[in-house]
Amino acid sequence: MAILLTILKVLGIIILVILGLVLLIILLVLFSPISYRISAEHNENDTRAKLKVGFLILNVVGSFVKGEGLDYYAKVLFFKVFSKDKSKPKEDYFAVDLPDEEELAEEEAGTSLNNDGGNLDVSSGYTPENVFENNVDTISEPPSENSSENVSENSSGNTSEISSGSESDNLNSDGISDSPETDGQSENKKKEKVPLGVKLDQASEKLDGALDKADETLDKLDKKYVDAIKKLDHVDQFLDRPYVQKTIKRAFKIIKRLFGTIKPKKSKGYIHMGLGSAADTGMILGKLSMFYPLWGSWLTVEPDFYYKVIEGNIDIKGRIYLFRFIGPAIGMALTPSFWKTIKLAKKI
């Protein structure tokens, strides 16, 4: 009996320790802040930005520098667990592989051998001199005057034969020509009048088809309109329920707290801007002044009405506490009105 009580005691202690550790982890997650910092700087010579996010023992850092690209890494305590692989060389897609001097020399030697003489086979005994002699022997003498007369006579005879042959081909056995119709006859056939009744039938068919399509589209639009009216009625009935209104109010409170905790706690910035035209710069400055309550307390804007320039820097710090909106969200999810609202929303 004493042994059994001892075992139960040990099991109870282990269970309590596990529950205590789980509770401690939950409290750490809820009450430990997620810190973030965003800093950036831009001018004519340099552009850089940095983002740092930390939570408990985890830190994630990302940075961008003009000319160097993006860099990022993650740390657990003091050990890097994830980082960008810098061992891979950057690929230059615009680089062109130029040939070496030896390759250029070989190409020049090959082109000098093959230039204006075809592919010469040195092993067979051909040399440029032999090739030149052979080409000279094969040159024919210019044609004489008699040969030109013979050519003209032959050409005239051939043309007469061709013309007579073409005429005989166009005549059939009865002596009637089988030549194709002239352009005037084909145009007359194309211009044959279509009967008025056929035209009216075609027009009536087209009109009937257009009316049928119009009726179909009107029926579809009518169905969509009726469905939209029904959905609007269901939404009105959904919003009139008291438990739905309570759920909506709680959701708005949670969203308000979420934006309140994400909002930066410390921030400062400076912008020097100019568009090269006093009118354009003044117009942009007037539009920015509409939102002065949002940035007036931490951002300084210096307009330049003469030169075209955009430069400045910004530094934003903040902390996000999860308990500020996770706690109310869990409380809302445990209420019966929340589940009733979800069931009714699925029926819409």
Side-chain angles (χ1 to χ4, degrees), residues 246-262:
K246 289 181 181 179
T247 304
I248 292 172
K249 287 180 181 179
R250 290 172 180 172
F252 275 117
K253 287 182 180 179
I254 293 169
I255 293 170
K256 187 177 179 180
R257 289 189 177 186
L258 175 62
F259 282 106
T261 188
I262 292 175

Side-chain angles (χ1 to χ4, degrees), residues 21-41:
L21 289 174
V22 171
L23 182 62
L24 179 63
I25 292 170
I26 292 171
L27 293 174
L28 285 174
V29 171
L30 290 176
F31 291 95
S32 294
I34 301 173
S35 61
Y36 65 89
R37 183 173 183 177
I38 302 170
S39 59
E41 184 178 358

Side-chain angles (χ1 to χ4, degrees), residues 166-300:
S166 62
E167 290 176 357
S168 63
D169 292 337
N170 293 331
L171 297 176
N172 58 11
S173 61
D174 298 332
I176 300 171
S177 64
D178 293 334
S179 61
E181 297 177 350
T182 60
D183 296 338
Q185 293 176 354
S186 61
E187 289 178 359
N188 291 329
K189 284 187 176 181
K190 290 181 181 178
K191 292 180 180 179
E192 290 180 356
K193 292 182 179 180
V194 180
L196 182 60
V198 176
K199 289 183 177 180
L200 291 174
D201 293 336
Q202 293 176 355
S204 62
E205 288 178 0
K206 291 181 180 179
L207 182 61
D208 292 337
L211 291 173
D212 292 337
K213 289 182 179 179
D215 291 336
E216 290 178 0
T217 53
L218 288 174
D219 292 337
K220 290 179 180 179
L221 291 173
D222 191 13
K223 289 180 181 179
K224 289 181 179 180
Y225 176 74
V226 172
D227 294 338
I229 293 297
K230 288 181 180 179
K231 286 183 179 180
L232 288 174
D233 292 337
H234 292 163
V235 171
D236 290 336
Q237 294 176 7
F238 174 76
L239 295 174
D240 288 338
R241 302 294 174 89
Y243 57 85
V244 174
Q245 294 177 359
K246 289 181 181 179
T247 304
I248 292 172
K249 287 180 181 179
R250 290 172 180 172
F252 275 117
K253 287 182 180 179
I254 293 169
I255 293 170
K256 187 177 179 180
R257 289 189 177 186
L258 175 62
F259 282 106
T261 188
I262 292 175
K263 184 179 177 181
K265 301 299 182 290
K266 293 181 180 180
S267 54
K268 61 180 179 179
Y270 167 76
I271 295 177
H272 178 210
M273 67 167 194
L275 301 179
S277 172
D280 295 338
T281 305
M283 183 177 63
I284 295 296
L285 188 63
K287 291 181 178 180
L288 289 175
S289 63
M290 296 170 61
F291 305 96
Y292 183 80
L294 299 177
W295 55 266
S297 60
W298 61 275
L299 183 63
T300 302

Side-chain angles (χ1 to χ4, degrees), residues 60-72:
V60 180
V61 180
S63 61
F64 172 80
V65 180
K66 183 179 179 181
E68 297 181 5
L70 182 66
D71 187 17
Y72 52 87

